[in-house]
Every structure is written in structure tokens, then in C-alpha cells.
Amino acid sequence: MKFVLTIKGNFWKKVHHQLPLWREVVVPGLSIVVFLMLARSIGLLQSQEWLVFDQLLRVRPNEAIDQRVVIVGIDEDDISYVGSYPIPDRKIAKMLSILHTYKPRVIGLDLFKDKDTNSDRADFALVLRKNVNIIGVEVALNQKRTFNVKPPPELPAERVGFADVIVDPDGKLRRNLLASKTHTGKLKYSLPLCLAQFYLREQGIVFDHGSHSYDPIQFGSSRLVRFLPNSGGYVGTDANGFQILLNFRSHPEPFRTLSLRDVLTKKFDPNWIRDRIVIIGMTASSIKDRFTTSAVKRTLYTRDLGVENSANQYQWIYGVEIHAHATSQIISNVLDGRPLLKVWPDFWEYLWILTWGLFGIILGLILQSPAKTLLSLGLASIGLVGICYILLVVGWWIPLVPTLLSLTGAGLTTSFFDRDLRTLLEQRSLTLKRCFETIHNGPLQTLAVILRSLGEEDIETEKLRSQLEQVNRELRSIPDSLSQEMLSRNDSLYLEGNVVLDLQIPIAELLYHIYDSTLQRKFQGFETIQSFIPPNFEPLEECYLNADQKRSLYLFLQEALCNVGKHSQRATRLDVVCTRSASEYCLQIIDNGVGILSKSNYQSGGGGTDQAQDLARKLRGKFRRFPHSPQGTVCELSWPVVSTWWQ
């Protein structure tokens, strides 16, 4: 239990220690998330979210063709075949009569036939009155009455649906208005809703709606999902009446399509018509009954152009196709359970954005490498897009653009701030380390000699003054040498006496320079040495070391030589031996004096020992200090030979 409590205590102590650092790097990432949430709340990301929504709808897997809906499109060839436009009423009457012989369940006539003064109107009027399953259209929701178009006068009000549509600010169609009150307060229904109502009534499914346009619409147990002002990527949108999001059927040819010529010449399979919903409308490019969309794989317009799968952001789609998609959407939901497009409440959407932003921040904190962070954020982004795509396939529109920006923006911001902070801390740590090395290998070495002399003999005043002045000069030179060394970006080594060594020159040459300059220092241990055999550092010429490892190796040699000069007594010989075997390099500093190993623990020491052990860890080697026979000390550093790829 005590062990567990200790672990918990250490963990919370570490967390408490890290909190100030985390706060510095987390706050910028959170600021990005909050900014994106605010930007979304005021609609700055609305257009981008619409575009992504359209693209995800278009790349969904293909669904089956809805054989319950058939389009009769009157195209340019039909106009040429008839010889005039508008299409004469007698031709429309003949087409309707032919269709009725094959017993369709309901016919939607998406043609404006409000003028009854034609000479051939009688046949058309007779067909409308005789066949109660024909539903006509009107334009009824414009405030200015002259912009509205009345339905055929032969049809009663219950057999008329409005053809008004709602277009988003970017000019595209994504919603369908099913029910609305006119400016006179009269409740009206759209053509698709009327067609679905008639079709489902024949199967005993009851239509239920209140007295207000925004009241729930229900077919049996299936309730349609009403569009709200902030549904999905919309922000503060006009949601008057009863609107739904258009869940376009995902297929290059979602419905069977006939032309006026096909019907008049009876060139079609009768089974295509029997018990179906037939929607008649204009599909001629010269008639401006069309809108733009990018949420479908292909339209009749792009089919006529010969485009197999258009990637155009602005595809034309005819009004009759829109009615077909809307009608199919309703009856497929009621009969097949095909999902309507639903959205989360605002709270859950913003929580979703915040959660992914926090995930990005966590990635930025954990992965301290920019490359790893970028890779992880890329994979997380792909995962996020995949999740939103799968949810859309099953009928849920989840915000993607602000979430994706929150993930990547917060993650990258946190990573960059974390990297900068860690770089600053590393620079501070490096500065302290260099400061210690400079003081330890310079003034402290000289001061140690002075203290040793004071304890062993009466030192002359002038000699003491000279040594103290040396310490003073070394201390005063530290700031300049440190500033120059930090500015050199690890490319130079600054020694006492303003000596500057370039770390890019060969290792053997640099080591010999360290050896020569250190032996010139006025240490008592060097005065009794009679034999200085020049060392051979050439075995290290093929050793690859980075600048930091080179610096540490040079300081190791300097420290080992200084230890001989400070602590060795009556030494007459100093050897520096450098060897290379098949598996390792070895650097030894050997003397035959006494004094260095007077302590019981050969490996104990101060800052110099710590530097040597740290260098051994960097090189994955070993540092040892042990007695030399018959007398003296060996200071040894060994590390493995590592072959580079070009060797």
C-alpha cells in the first residue's frame, strides 16, 4: 500500500510540475478551438460545410434504382417532334390517356397549365376530371401575387401541390419545402408530399399533420425530420414551414426515365408504369426549369451531355428530378426504412468539435516530433472524415469542416508552441551545462591547485597573487567565451586564453591540440613528469561523432589530464594511449604517480566524473578509473565501433 501511495504521489507531483508548462502550450491550442467554434456559430464556415456535405453525399455507395418512381421528361427532341412549345394540351391529354391505360397509382403533372382558353383544351380538361389520380402544380408562396402561377382550373385544391423550392445562398439546392402557409394564411403542400400521400394511402398508411405548417408530419409510425435553423452546417437559416434536408438517391440513374415520344409511340415496358408514381416535367435545356447541385452523381442534364460521372461543382438538375428525389425520399423512408438526414443538437455538435480539438492538443503534447505530429494528425484527419462519411451514409450529418480545422489547428499550434518551449528549455539547460563545463575545466581547476598548495606548504605571496589573478582572468573571460560559443551553434570549442577550436577539423588534430594546451597549464603534478610521449590519436580518425559528442570527448581528455596535474604526486610519466580493435575504441590516460586514487571508491568523483559518465552513455560505452601497476592511475573511456551505411 505504501508503494502504491508513493507512485501516486510521484505521479501527481510530476503532473503538478508539468502544469505550468502544459498551460503555456495548451492555451494557444484551446484558443484555436474556441475561435473555430465562435466562427461556426456566426456562419463563417457555413459555405465550406455545405461543399463538404455535397461531396460526401455524392461519393456514397450506389443504391438500387427506385422503380416506384418514373420520370417522363419532355426534352428538346420532344419539342421538335411535336413542332411547337408550349406542348399543345391535346398532346398532353393523349400522353395522360396512354399512361392511364397502364394503371399508374398516381401521376404528378409538373407543367403549368393555368390557361384554359385553348381551342384543344376540352380533351385535356376531360382527362383531368376523369382521372382522380392526377396531381397538378402551382407556384403559390411568393409574396408578390404576380410571381405566382395558378394550377389548372379543372383540378380541385386537394389535387394540387406547390412547386416552390428553396435555394441556398450559394445557389444550390439542399432542402425541400413540404408544407407552408401562403401569405394569405392558407396551408398548402408540395407536389412530392401530395404524391407520397396519395401513393401511401393506397397501402393503408395514414397521413397525419397538424393545422400549422411547422407541425410534425407523419405517415403511420414514420415521422419526417424537420429542418431547423441550425441543422447540420446551417446557421440561423430561415426554417419557416416544414422543410427537410434532401437525401438525394445515390445512383447515376436513380429513376427510370421516358420521353414524351416514348409514351406517344408506346415504346416502353408497361410494367414500368403499372402501380408506379409517374412524374411529368420539362427536361429541355432551353426551358429554365432547372437548378444547381453538386450532391448527386449524375443528372439528366449531364447524361444528355454524355458525362458519365460529373465532378462539376455546379451541375444542372431539372425541377422534375427534384420532385422525383423528394418523393422517393419520403416513400422509401416509410416503406423501406431508408434514413432521412438527421442532425445532432447544437450542444453535442460543439462538444464533438471540442473533443477533437482536445485530441489534437493531446497529440501535440505527446508527440514531441513535428514529423510524428503531422503524420498522426493526418491519420486522425482521415479517420475523422471516415467517421463522418459512415455516419452520413446511415443518415447523420455531423459537422466536419470545423471539427477537422479544430483537430489540425489545435494539434499543430500545440506542437509548435510545445516545440518552441522545449527548445527554449533545452537552450537554457545547454547554457547551464556549458557554463558549468567552462567553470569546472577552467577556474575551478586552478582554484583546486591553490587550495591544495595552501594545505601542503607555505605558498609565497607573489605566487598566490599570480594564481589568484589567473583565476580572476579565467572567471572574467567566461561570459565572452560562453556568448561566442552559443552563437557558434555548437561548431566551435572555446578554451582558456581565448583559444577557439573548430569542431569540424579532424578529431586527431583537435585531441592533440587539447593535449598540448592542457599540459602547458601550471599544475604542480606536471612539474615532476619527466617523460611526455606524444600521443597518437589516428586510430580515432574513422570514428564518426557529432559536434556534441566531439565536444564532450575533448572535455573528457582535458579533465583527465587536469586531474593528473592537480592530484598526482611524484608522477614521472604520463601516457595517453588511443587504440581501436575490431569492436571498440579505447582512450586511456595513464600516470605513475600517487594521490588520484587515495579514496576508497575508484569511481567516485565530482563534476568531471559526471561528465565522463554522461559521455559514456552518449557513446553507449563505459568509463572506468582504476589503479595502474605498479603505481598510478588509469582513466579509461571505451565505446563500440559503429559502422555507417557508406562503409
Side-chain angles (χ1 to χ4, degrees):
M1 178 64 71
K2 183 178 180 181
F3 176 71
V4 173
L5 291 175
T6 302
I7 293 178
K8 289 183 177 179
N10 292 335
F11 171 78
W12 289 113
K13 186 180 296 183
K14 183 177 180 181
V15 170
H16 180 73
H17 177 71
Q18 292 289 335
L19 276 178
L21 300 179
W22 289 350
R23 184 169 58 248
E24 291 189 36
V25 298
V26 168
V27 169
L30 279 177
S31 300
I32 294 294
V33 176
V34 172
F35 170 78
L36 287 169
M37 292 169 69
L38 289 174
R40 180 180 187 267
S41 68
I42 61 176
L44 293 181
L45 302 176
Q46 186 172 235
S47 298
Q48 293 78 7
E49 187 70 18
W50 289 344
L51 292 176
V52 172
F53 173 62
D54 290 343
Q55 295 305 309
L56 292 180
L57 284 177
R58 187 166 61 185
V59 298
R60 289 176 300 171
N62 283 348
E63 301 178 73
I65 294 176
D66 190 349
Q67 299 181 8
R68 292 170 298 211
V69 179
V70 178
I71 295 175
V72 176
I74 303 174
D75 56 21
E76 296 290 349
D77 291 336
D78 288 332
I79 296 175
S80 300
Y81 176 79
V82 172
S84 64
Y85 182 83
I87 304 298
D89 288 349
R90 65 178 182 278
K91 292 293 184 182
I92 301 297
K94 183 179 180 180
M95 174 179 62
L96 292 173
S97 298
I98 293 173
L99 289 172
H100 268 286
T101 60
Y102 299 104
K103 301 187 182 320
R105 187 174 297 187
V106 61
I107 295 177
L109 188 61
D110 184 27
L111 298 173
F112 295 113
K113 292 292 181 179
D114 56 323
K115 308 297 183 184
D116 59 354
T117 58
N118 308 20
S119 59
D120 57 355
R121 182 74 176 192
D123 292 341
F124 178 71
L126 179 62
V127 171
L128 293 184
R129 294 190 185 99
K130 181 180 177 181
N131 300 289
V132 296
N133 63 341
I134 297 178
I135 298 176
V137 292
E138 64 177 336
V139 176
L141 304 181
N142 290 301
Q143 187 171 6
K144 194 171 183 179
R145 296 180 60 183
T146 55
F147 287 176
N148 293 324
V149 180
K150 293 181 179 181
E154 296 84 359
L155 293 177
E158 63 271 13
R159 287 172 53 195
V160 176
F162 62 76
D164 302 70
V165 297
I166 299 176
V167 178
D168 286 330
D170 63 350
K172 296 182 182 179
L173 197 69
R174 300 181 181 89
R175 295 172 282 157
N176 188 253
L177 180 61
L178 298 182
S180 177
K181 284 190 175 182
T182 65
H183 292 280
T184 61
K186 187 177 181 180
L187 180 62
K188 289 183 176 292
Y189 296 120
S190 70
L191 175 63
L193 186 62
C194 291
L195 293 173
Q197 181 181 353
F198 196 103
Y199 184 87
L200 296 171
R201 185 174 60 202
E202 295 296 315
Q203 296 188 210
I205 299 175
V206 178
F207 170 76
D208 183 26
H209 185 224
S211 58
H212 297 92
S213 60
Y214 51 80
D215 286 340
I217 293 179
Q218 194 165 329
F219 287 94
S221 60
S222 299
R223 176 175 291 189
L224 302 185
V225 179
R226 182 172 176 243
F227 174 85
L228 298 174
N230 293 326
S231 290
Y234 289 87
V235 178
T237 305
D238 182 2
N240 288 327
F242 195 101
Q243 306 175 33
I244 62 171
L245 288 167
L246 268 172
N247 189 7
F248 292 97
R249 199 165 194 88
S250 180
H251 195 281
E253 295 183 5
F255 312 106
R256 286 171 174 159
T257 305
L258 302 174
S259 66
L260 174 62
R261 303 184 313 281
D262 293 332
V263 176
L264 295 179
T265 58
K266 300 182 181 181
K267 292 182 179 179
F268 58 88
D269 186 344
N271 291 321
W272 288 9
I273 305 299
R274 186 169 291 109
D275 210 31
R276 314 295 186 192
I277 299 174
V278 179
I279 307 177
I280 303 168
M282 297 302 302
T283 58
S285 58
S286 61
I287 309 304
K288 305 303 181 183
D289 183 22
R290 59 177 184 248
F291 305 88
T292 56
T293 182
S294 56
V296 294
K297 296 181 182 295
R298 194 170 69 164
T299 67
L300 294 178
Y301 184 86
T302 54
R303 185 198 66 178
D304 293 340
L305 290 177
V307 180
E308 287 297 323
N309 195 353
S310 176
N312 188 353
Q313 288 291 323
Y314 291 89
Q315 296 187 74
W316 290 113
I317 183 170
Y318 295 115
V320 67
E321 290 180 88
I322 296 169
H323 297 320
H325 278 285
T327 305
S328 172
Q329 178 178 354
I330 297 171
I331 63 174
S332 295
N333 173 255
V334 176
L335 299 177
D336 306 330
R338 182 176 182 264
L340 299 169
L341 291 178
K342 302 176 290 293
V343 298
W344 286 346
D346 289 348
F347 171 79
W348 291 109
E349 288 185 342
Y350 284 104
L351 182 61
W352 169 262
I353 297 170
L354 176 62
T355 300
W356 281 93
L358 292 176
F359 180 60
I361 290 174
I362 292 172
L363 288 179
L365 285 174
I366 295 177
L367 304 173
Q368 300 175 10
S369 165
K372 291 181 180 178
T373 302
L374 284 173
L375 177 61
S376 300
L377 288 175
L379 294 175
S381 299
I382 294 173
L384 172 60
V385 174
I387 292 172
C388 291
Y389 172 74
I390 293 172
L391 288 174
L392 187 62
V393 169
V394 298
W396 288 97
W397 181 13
I398 307 303
L400 175 56
V401 171
T403 311
L404 191 61
L405 292 177
S406 178
L407 167 68
T408 56
L412 291 175
T413 301
T414 302
S415 176
F416 290 145
F417 272 83
D418 185 56
R419 182 197 62 183
D420 293 343
L421 180 60
R422 292 182 186 277
T423 301
L424 178 61
L425 294 176
E426 289 175 0
Q427 289 176 345
R428 291 177 179 176
S429 176
L430 181 61
T431 302
L432 291 174
K433 180 181 177 182
R434 296 289 164 76
C435 184
F436 169 77
E437 290 173 348
T438 305
I439 295 174
H440 178 272
N441 290 18
L444 286 184
Q445 300 285 13
T446 305
L447 189 59
V449 173
I450 296 174
L451 293 175
R452 186 180 182 88
S453 300
L454 289 175
E456 296 178 354
E457 61 182 22
D458 294 333
I459 187 171
E460 298 177 358
T461 303
E462 288 301 322
K463 184 176 182 182
L464 178 60
R465 180 187 296 275
S466 175
Q467 291 176 334
L468 290 175
E469 288 177 351
Q470 173 68 18
V471 173
N472 181 55
R473 286 193 298 272
E474 291 176 352
L475 286 172
R476 291 180 180 277
S477 66
I478 288 176
D480 290 338
S481 63
L482 276 178
S483 61
Q484 292 295 326
E485 190 167 345
M486 297 305 294
L487 290 174
S488 69
R489 295 188 178 183
N490 259 3
D491 293 333
S492 302
L493 176 64
Y494 287 75
L495 303 178
E496 60 175 328
N498 294 325
V499 177
V500 183
L501 300 181
D502 185 358
L503 295 178
Q504 302 304 318
I505 64 178
I507 293 178
E509 184 178 340
L510 273 174
L511 286 173
Y512 188 82
H513 191 87
I514 295 292
Y515 170 84
D516 186 59
S517 63
T518 305
L519 291 184
Q520 293 179 17
R521 299 177 69 172
K522 296 179 180 181
F523 291 154
Q524 183 178 356
F526 292 156
E527 295 177 356
T528 59
I529 295 177
Q530 301 173 357
S531 173
F532 291 97
I533 300 177
N536 178 21
F537 295 109
E538 290 184 0
L540 298 182
E541 284 290 355
E542 296 182 0
C543 177
Y544 174 78
L545 301 176
N546 60 38
D548 183 59
Q549 291 170 335
K550 286 183 181 180
R551 178 190 302 277
S552 299
L553 182 63
Y554 304 151
L555 293 178
F556 165 77
L557 177 60
Q558 184 185 60
E559 168 69 10
L561 293 174
C562 286
N563 281 338
V564 175
K566 289 188 301 179
H567 304 295
S568 178
Q569 300 178 21
R570 300 185 300 276
T572 59
R573 185 182 180 91
L574 175 62
D575 294 328
V576 177
V577 180
C578 184
T579 60
R580 174 186 172 173
S581 66
S583 60
E584 71 174 11
Y585 297 101
C586 184
L587 178 61
Q588 294 179 321
I589 295 87
I590 308 170
D591 72 276
N592 63 348
V594 296
I596 295 181
L597 290 178
S598 59
K599 300 180 182 179
S600 58
N601 185 355
Y602 292 160
Q603 295 301 323
S604 65
T609 301
D610 293 339
Q611 291 181 29
Q613 291 173 342
D614 182 58
L615 174 60
R617 283 192 294 269
K618 291 179 181 178
L619 298 177
R620 299 182 181 179
K622 293 184 293 184
F623 165 70
R624 296 192 302 159
R625 189 185 292 116
F626 55 91
H628 178 60
S629 179
Q631 177 178 287
T633 303
V634 178
C635 185
E636 178 185 275
L637 177 70
S638 60
W639 66 96
V641 174
V642 179
S643 298
T644 53
W645 64 270
W646 58 83
Q647 294 176 322

